Amino acid sequence: MLQGTKSVTMGALSKVAPMLLRPTLSQLPSVRFSHAHLFRKRPGQLIVNRIKDLMHFYMIGIGFLPWLAVVTYAHLVYGPCELTDLPKEGPAPHYWQYERTPVRQWWAKWFGVSDVEHHERNLAYFEKQGIVSRWRQVEDRVKHLEGERLDYKGWSYQPVSSTWVDYGRWLAIRMRDQYEQHGHYTQ
């Protein structure tokens, strides 16, 4: 009988043991509360961040802020330029002296073009565009007439010189008398 109760007790303990011996939350590893055991690959960002840092340094630190300081200084110290009459004697003012502020005058003097040069550039550009437009009109007219008359270009004829005729005759005789291009057979 003892054996029967022993097996019942063991059976009951085997069912109760997992509940009694369950670890508390502090004993569980933290991995169980995280997501899957993955380390996702992603592209490296070292080079991208380095480029962004350099661009920020050179554009903002060296480029923008010093220019802002120069412009602010010029406006505070010199202020806007004043319009005066043309001088009666002495040399005529330069084109860059007509700008409103000293900074704009400096820029126009060293990097800008005069109104005269700008006008000449525009004239040359529009003249070239006019010539190209006339060429296109003539080409369109020629294409239209070719299609209308079922014609072809007559100016694509290449004159033949007598030297090329003689050379062609020599090649024809050579190919007639010679069986193979690379062979040198005696007759």
Side-chain angles (χ1 to χ4, degrees):
M1 263 307 251
L2 224 82
Q3 285 246 333
T5 56
K6 188 176 183 184
S7 66
V8 170
T9 338
M10 291 302 269
L13 280 177
S14 67
K15 299 288 183 189
V16 175
M19 290 188 287
L20 295 175
L21 299 174
R22 178 174 291 163
T24 61
L25 290 177
S26 63
Q27 294 174 344
L28 289 176
S30 63
V31 173
R32 295 179 190 256
F33 295 111
S34 67
H35 50 78
H37 296 280
L38 293 176
F39 184 76
R40 291 182 303 131
K41 289 185 178 179
R42 60 188 177 111
Q45 295 183 350
L46 177 68
I47 296 173
V48 174
N49 289 339
R50 178 77 171 150
I51 290 172
K52 286 193 292 188
D53 288 344
L54 288 175
M55 292 298 291
H56 183 262
F57 174 72
Y58 284 112
M59 294 299 177
I60 302 298
I62 294 182
F64 178 69
L65 293 178
W67 274 104
L68 184 65
V70 167
V71 168
T72 305
Y73 175 77
H75 280 288
L76 290 177
V77 172
Y78 298 108
C81 298
E82 296 178 8
L83 186 61
T84 59
D85 292 333
L86 289 175
K88 302 283 185 200
E89 51 209 33
H94 297 283
Y95 67 93
W96 48 267
Q97 291 175 333
Y98 291 105
E99 296 293 333
R100 286 182 295 167
T101 63
V103 175
R104 291 178 73 131
Q105 285 182 355
W106 177 83
W107 185 265
K109 180 179 180 181
W110 296 108
F111 298 108
V113 295
S114 67
D115 294 335
V116 175
E117 185 178 349
H118 180 68
H119 181 69
E120 292 291 331
R121 285 182 182 180
N122 278 342
L123 286 179
Y125 173 75
F126 287 123
E127 180 65 25
K128 181 179 177 184
Q129 291 302 317
I131 292 170
V132 170
S133 174
R134 286 191 291 274
W135 285 351
R136 287 187 184 136
Q137 286 176 352
V138 169
E139 286 177 358
D140 289 343
R141 178 72 177 149
V142 167
K143 286 180 184 177
H144 172 74
L145 289 176
E146 283 176 1
E148 188 178 87
R149 299 175 184 170
L150 299 174
D151 204 355
Y152 58 91
K153 291 181 181 178
W155 62 82
S156 60
Y157 170 75
Q158 297 290 328
V160 180
S161 68
S162 61
T163 308
W164 284 103
V165 173
D166 294 341
Y167 181 67
R169 186 175 296 126
W170 177 79
L171 279 178
I173 292 170
R174 180 176 169 209
M175 288 180 70
R176 183 191 67 197
D177 295 341
Q178 186 174 321
Y179 294 114
E180 295 180 4
Q181 288 281 341
H182 56 79
H184 300 284
Y185 302 111
T186 58
Q187 292 183 347

